[in-house]
Amino acid sequence: MGVPLLDMSRQYAYLKAELDAAVIAVLTHGGFVLGPEVTMLEQQVSQLTRVPHAVGVASGTDALLVALIAAGVEAGDEVITTDFSFFATAGVIHRLGAKPVLVDIEEDTFNLDPGLIEAAITPGTKAVIPVHLFGQCADMDPIMAIARRHNLIVIEDAAQAIGSEYRGQKAGSIGDMGAFSFYPTKNLGGAGDGGMITTNSDEFADACAMIRVHGAKRKYYHDMVGLNSRLDTLQAAVLLVKMKYLNDWSLKRQQWAARYNEAFASRPEIRTPVTKDYATFHIFNQYTIVVNNRDEVVEGLRKAEIGCMIYYPVPFHLQPCFAYLGHAPQEFPVSGRVAQSVLSLPIYPEMTQDEQDEVIEAVIKLAR
Ligand SMILES: *Cc1c(COP(=O)(O)O)cnc(C)c1O
């Protein structure tokens, strides 16, 4: 039968009337750049994450980049982050001429290991970017304690974690700033690129709003050099429609995750994702298992036309573009190991039970 990794046409099928109307409304009013829907979405995201400010930008990558600029990170500074994430997390640090200082991860959560941060701090360290990978928050209490002790700014990479909670606090509300992505495959996905920064700080919010319009507070008067990075009104309109469903979708993902966990529970060769006590709301942007014969399982699933993906096959320290950091191949043993054994399975709200059963059966047959 086959199961897609993700099928966005199913969501469009039941949201078609609402989405079409929302898009036509923007085409009709014509406020394409920073129009009313952008402000409305910013308000809704700030309510959802329980922070006073949210600033829409052009992508999740730009959310990280703008937040780093607002934090004052400049060429020559050091920024600590995980060795295991989507490329953008480390890419934005490099883009500013700063140095990505990589730290290994926890084997069970795939998130940055807080116990390794302190040893990575130098007088040049300016900020830390923990990533809430696959929808589960990183262990923020120890991360924040270390950051406060050393005067470091914390930018949460919450691109995969909208609505996720750490001990009851929303992702994006714990650090100094949070960066979200509305890339179509995220839990709240647009019809193209989009992103948002959340913050409790009036100063950071002002800075981000200025940076996204070329650094001008008043049009054509520039106190600083920023960039052109706005969330399109059309994207905001699409996202506003989907916001209403976001919580239900996250609950549905949790149900699918629980069902996978149950099906794989008696199979020690399939390590299911670990949800920590502190992850009081895990949004399962991905459902990621660990299997020893990962590449064989991938091949088998592809033959059966069952969607799967390796997030991520190459940790940052092994990326050719970061060879200049001078890391040895074995330097981050956990992320090195994890990159060779992780596999993400289909987990989207519109998946059917029959489809999930097909995935389960195939994985059990293939894993050793
Ligand atoms: C998707 C993602 C980003 C980048 O978001 P874009 O909107 O694709 O630019 C950054 N970090 C993580 C962890 C992501 O998953």
Side-chain angles (χ1 to χ4, degrees), residues 1-8 10 256 259-260 298 300-309 344-363:
M1 191 167 72
V3 183
L5 180 65
L6 177 64
D7 180 0
M8 281 176 291
R10 296 182 198 184
W256 291 137
R259 210 163 166 272
Y260 271 134
V298 170
L301 291 177
R302 295 222 163 117
K303 274 194 194 125
E305 288 178 28
I306 292 172
C308 65
M309 196 63 92
S344 299
L345 303 177
I347 187 163
Y348 48 103
E350 302 81 12
M351 182 170 72
T352 67
Q353 197 154 307
D354 286 348
E355 286 177 322
Q356 189 181 35
D357 287 340
E358 191 178 332
V359 179
I360 290 166
E361 200 181 309
V363 171

Side-chain angles (χ1 to χ4, degrees), residues 59-61 64 85-86 88-89 131 157 159-160 181 183 186 193-194 312:
S59 68
T61 303
L64 289 166
S85 177
F86 177 62
T89 312
V131 180
D157 183 339
Q160 301 181 5
S181 165
Y183 186 78
K186 307 294 159 107
D193 284 305
Y312 296 92

Side-chain angles (χ1 to χ4, degrees), residues 12 22 28 54 77 120 133 154 218 238 254 289 293 295 315 317 360 367:
Y12 181 53
T28 306
D77 290 339
L133 205 65
V154 176
R218 201 172 128 209
V238 165
Q254 289 173 356
I289 59 169
N293 64 332
D295 294 344
H317 80 282
I360 290 166

Side-chain angles (χ1 to χ4, degrees), residues 23-95:
V23 167
I24 288 167
V26 175
L27 293 174
T28 306
H29 75 56
F32 299 130
V33 177
L34 297 181
E37 286 82 355
V38 174
T39 310
M40 274 161 66
L41 185 72
E42 287 172 341
Q43 280 164 358
Q44 290 196 13
V45 170
S46 75
Q47 270 165 20
L48 172 75
T49 52
R50 303 198 288 265
V51 296
H53 306 288
V55 181
V57 291
S59 68
T61 303
D62 274 8
L64 289 166
L65 184 67
V66 169
L68 279 173
I69 297 170
V73 170
E74 291 177 344
D77 290 339
E78 294 181 11
V79 179
I80 294 172
T81 194
T82 171
D83 187 41
F84 188 69
S85 177
F86 177 62
F87 183 75
T89 312
V92 289
I93 301 169
H94 171 99
R95 170 65 48 227

